[in-house]
Amino acid sequence: MADLATADDVTSRDWPLDIYKALKAAGVSQVCYVPDAGHSRLIQLSHGDSAINTTVLTTEEEGVALCAGAWLGGDRAVLLMQSSGVGNCVNMLSLLASCRLPFLTFVTMRGEWAEFNPWQIPMGKATRGALEIMGVTVLRLERPEDAEEVTSAAASLAFDSDQQIAVLISQRMIGRKKWTEAK
Amino acid sequence: MTTNPHLLDRREAVKALLEDRSDLLVVSGLGSSSYDVFDAGENAANFYLWGAMGGAAMIGLGLALAQPKRPVAVITGDGEQLMGIGSLLTIAAKKPGNLAIIVLDNGHFGETGMQMSHSGLGSRLEVIAGGAGFHSVSDIADFEGIAALRRKLRNFDGPHFARIRVSTAHVARALPPRDGVFLKNRFRGHLGLPVN
Ligand SMILES: Cc1ncc(C[n+]2csc(CCOP(=O)(O)OP(=O)(O)O)c2C)c(N)n1
């Protein structure tokens, strides 16, 4: 199959597993999310792990507050969302700045590479800016083979140095959206 | 505006709720609720919010999941809870037995000039909580109800939701510390957690 692979295939490397392993190594014990197709594997891994408390949210800003509460109680938490959810978080991010709370989020990008849905473009373009104006440091994950290292570095910055860190996972890495026609 | 003399005084209500609190952890919503919790007795196990409107219940959830052996109470206003109304669904889905969401419902946005809130205009938060999936829901209008809620806080059979009907009558100022980093470190210190 490998020789038939095209740029729009999800990469053969199981990079969500690499993120998961690095999160485990960093002591993360809470994961919360608003689903995105690009996060489905990581969400599945997290639900399958009895040592991780996994929480599905109705909106992304809930996750910012949940991560804050987790840290107050001694847990390390991570928020998974797609880029459109970043806009929902803006005011809640002020909680992290006010209390200098560690924060780590993984954002699957839309609207930046081979996007077919024009409605994803505005927030996709504004994602980095929306995070940065609130004091969040933005890291990019562009290549599957970097997943573990970037996750590990991001977790140290967050949980050891009290930083707010967003890892933007490039849309190129996630691949084109695949449609399954329901007939 | 007229105030209903039959409604509970919020300071008295919170004081009664936090009597003999022992190992209870408390997160208070911005504005009046934080003032009430502070007025009931300064405590390192209190985390007062001065912002993050809509976030109190979810901070409580993260904390309750991290500290399953400690009871956790979120004490907040109707306006604050309305902004995070979806979090009631998230909490009901997660079912933390040690968490209680307690709304001091005056039917108004008190902090910003006593504009009527959705609650004052007819929405019933305890019905919404029930619909969200909370099995333990109470609608409290007297001190007996508060005493019953205080017992529930210790039973680990939550999550509990309680609406406490409180008066809009003016209360004296009582301002807790505002420094978030101090409040964070004090709270974590209380739990025996290190400062980074
Ligand atoms: C995101 C955001 N929007 C608006 C405000 C302004 N604000 C501060 S307190 C408050 C209302 C609080 O009402 P409620 O929770 O019912 O408290 P109480 O009536 O007990 O004062 C509002 C709207 C804010 N702080 N943050």
Side-chain angles (χ1 to χ4, degrees), chain A residues 54 62 71 73 100 159 162, chain B residues 67 87 90 94 184 188 196:
Chain A
T54 306
E62 287 179 4
W71 181 259
R100 209 197 304 134
F159 301 119
D162 284 340
Chain B
Q67 290 286 329
S87 61
T90 298
K94 196 64 193 166
K184 169 191 71 172
R188 280 174 52 92
N196 251 0

